[in-house]
């Protein structure tokens, strides 16, 4: 196996509904290199189901600090620790990551102090290294090269598309973004482009279901990408496969995989995968 992608949680947005998908997280394997991308609710369980031994939790990348991408980061690290993590884990993320982590550790101070004293564990903070993502090269350890591109996700300014290269494969994650032309150059020649996607026709039903009205409608249109635009960008980037991920909506019973395929028909005729929770792609 050279490349493996598991879309652990496939929905955009933090809300959870009966029968619906989980917020965003993914596992990527390129040769022997593993990476977790985003930590929405459900990531810990999803990684275990994907075969990850939490005692050997791989490096983690957080594209931005919206809760559907970061809510379970602390719980993932803590659960890995109580499962027997001994090797330090690096978490790459935007500015503000240190404040998130400090806040999580403060909230769990009773438990973590108790486990160090009572169970003889090494302090959790000694096992976690934080590294702030800036545009350009994020990591190059010989096994894996990771690069970041700031994308267009107002009002969030620190939101980064990530490109992973290793074992002769290239995979690009759009992160959350409005249609953003520089992403085409950044993703050029990728084996897989994992792009967020929205079905504009279904947005009105989301607005009605949440009761959040104009503010939510305006955010969705200003900060996210219609599936058709993701397809156009995939064509300009000449990628081998397009994966539609971070689906908006992902829990509308009236929206099926066929609706997503119909949204890109005539624009993208290459290989395509519509993400769902736990879906595994080998490439
Ligand atoms: Zn999101
Ligand atoms: Zn976001």
């Amino acid at each position: 196996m050279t490349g493996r992608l598991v879309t652990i949680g496939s929905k955009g947005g933090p809300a959870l509904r009966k029968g619906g998908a989980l917020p965003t997280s993914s596992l990527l394997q390129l040769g022997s290199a593993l990476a977790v991308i985003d930590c929405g609710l459900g990531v810990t369980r999803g990684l275990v189901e994907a075969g990850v031994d939490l005692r050997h939790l791989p490096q983690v990348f957080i594209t931005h600090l919206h809760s559907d991408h970061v809510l379970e980061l602390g719980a993932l690290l803590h659960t890995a620790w109580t499962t027997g993590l001994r090797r330090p884990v690096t978490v790459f993320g935007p500015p503000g990551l240190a404040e998130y982590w400090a806040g999580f550790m403060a909230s769990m101070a009773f438990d973590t102090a108790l486990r160090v004293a009572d169970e003889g564990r090494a302090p959790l903070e000694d096992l976690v290294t934080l590294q702030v993502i800036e545009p350009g090269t994020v990591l190059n350890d010989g096994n894996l090269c990771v690069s970041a591109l700031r994308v267009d996700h107002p009002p969030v300014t620190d939101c980064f598309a990530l490109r992973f290269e290793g074992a002769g494969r290239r995979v690009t994650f759009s992160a959350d973004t409005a249609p953003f032309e520089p992403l085409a150059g950044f993703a050029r020649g990728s084996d897989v482009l994992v792009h967020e996607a929205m079905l504009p026709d279904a947005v009105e039903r989301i607005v009605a279901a949440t009761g959040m009205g104009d503010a939510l409608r305006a955010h969705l249109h200003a900060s996210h990408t219609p599936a058709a635009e993701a397809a156009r960008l995939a064509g300009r980037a000449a990628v081998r496969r397009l994966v539609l991920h971070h689906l908006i909506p992902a829990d509308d019973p009236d929206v099926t995989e066929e609706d997503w395929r119909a949204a890109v028909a005539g624009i993208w005729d290459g290989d395509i995968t519509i993400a769902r929770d736990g879906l595994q792609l080998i490439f």
Side-chain angles (χ1 to χ4, degrees):
M1 182 198 327
T2 304
R4 177 167 79 119
L5 170 71
V6 182
T7 54
I8 292 170
S10 57
K11 82 182 289 282
L16 217 55
R17 298 187 183 89
K18 187 175 188 327
L22 289 165
T24 301
S25 60
S26 303
L27 172 69
L28 178 66
Q29 181 171 3
L30 297 178
S32 61
L34 277 166
V36 178
I37 297 96
D38 284 329
C39 288
L41 197 68
V43 64
T44 312
R45 184 80 214 177
L47 286 172
V48 172
E49 295 304 321
V52 171
D53 183 339
L54 294 181
R55 294 174 301 170
H56 306 287
L57 181 67
Q59 57 205 330
V60 178
F61 296 82
I62 302 294
T63 59
H64 66 302
L65 293 181
H66 265 148
S67 54
D68 52 326
H69 299 255
V70 76
L71 187 68
E72 200 171 297
L73 171 63
L76 169 63
L77 294 165
H78 188 286
T79 304
W81 179 59
T82 54
T83 304
L85 179 74
R86 290 202 172 76
R87 192 185 58 178
V89 174
T90 303
V91 181
F92 301 82
L97 182 68
E99 287 77 6
Y100 166 91
W101 180 238
F104 176 81
M105 289 300 289
S107 76
M108 295 305 297
F110 171 82
D111 177 89
T112 52
L114 198 70
R115 290 183 191 282
V116 168
D118 193 37
E119 301 171 9
R121 295 181 187 276
L124 173 54
E125 52 267 44
D126 291 353
L127 291 170
V128 177
T129 304
L130 304 181
Q131 189 166 325
V132 172
I133 292 176
E134 291 173 0
T137 301
V138 175
L139 166 74
N140 190 353
D141 65 5
N143 243 349
L144 187 67
C145 181
V146 184
S147 307
L149 174 73
R150 191 187 303 278
V151 289
D152 184 21
H153 188 45
V156 179
T157 53
D158 291 317
C159 181
F160 296 100
L162 296 170
R163 185 179 66 215
F164 295 80
E165 295 166 281
R169 295 286 189 273
R170 178 181 299 170
V171 178
T172 302
F173 289 76
S174 69
D176 283 13
T177 183
F180 190 57
E181 187 54 32
L183 197 50
F186 184 70
R188 187 164 303 289
S190 290
D191 296 281
V192 180
L193 170 62
V194 183
H195 203 296
E196 72 131 271
M198 175 172 68
L199 272 184
D201 291 350
V203 164
E204 289 309 313
R205 291 202 294 275
I206 297 174
V207 170
T210 58
M212 288 174 62
D214 292 343
L216 178 61
R217 180 187 295 109
H219 166 77
L220 290 174
H221 286 297
S223 307
H224 295 284
T225 299
E229 292 302 320
R232 283 192 188 92
L233 190 126
R236 289 196 293 276
V239 301
R240 292 202 172 80
R241 175 177 291 274
L242 172 62
V243 175
L244 297 182
H245 196 13
H246 190 278
L247 303 177
I248 302 173
D251 48 15
D252 182 336
D254 292 336
V255 172
T256 67
E257 186 167 321
E258 288 316 305
D259 292 298
W260 292 100
R261 291 183 183 275
V264 304
I267 302 169
W268 171 258
D269 57 9
D271 291 335
I272 187 165
T273 300
I274 313 302
R276 59 177 187 273
D277 291 6
L279 177 144
Q280 175 170 269
L281 182 67
I282 305 292
F283 53 93

